[in-house]
Amino acid sequence: MATYSITINERTTFGKQLLLFLKGLGLIKENEKKGIDATLKACDDADKVHLIHYKDMDDFKARMYAL
């Protein structure tokens, strides 16, 4: 199996149609999310993280040095 890299201008009608066709065939594998998709994923990841709140800097230092 070979891997090919091609450049498709998504701004043209032909480019959009070609991209949709190739995605429909399952031939395109996107490596990373960009734009709003990446932002939404980052927001979802942030919601899943357990956040620790500190009263002030002294409280923060006390908890960090206790570890």
Side-chain angles (χ1 to χ4, degrees):
M1 178 186 290
T3 301
Y4 297 96
S5 294
I6 62 169
T7 303
I8 299 173
N9 186 353
E10 297 178 43
R11 294 180 183 173
T12 64
T13 302
F14 179 75
K16 288 178 188 176
Q17 292 174 350
L18 179 60
L19 190 62
L20 288 173
F21 176 72
L22 294 173
K23 282 183 180 179
L25 292 176
L27 297 175
I28 292 184
K29 179 180 177 184
E30 295 185 35
N31 292 335
E32 55 183 73
K33 294 184 174 189
K34 296 182 180 179
I36 194 160
D37 291 334
T39 303
L40 292 174
K41 183 179 181 321
C43 289
D44 289 341
D45 290 346
D47 288 340
K48 294 175 185 175
V49 174
H50 177 69
L51 300 176
I52 300 172
H53 298 279
Y54 302 100
K55 290 184 259 180
D56 54 19
M57 186 56 96
D58 293 329
D59 183 32
F60 170 76
K61 288 178 183 178
R63 290 189 191 188
M64 288 296 113
Y65 293 125
L67 295 176

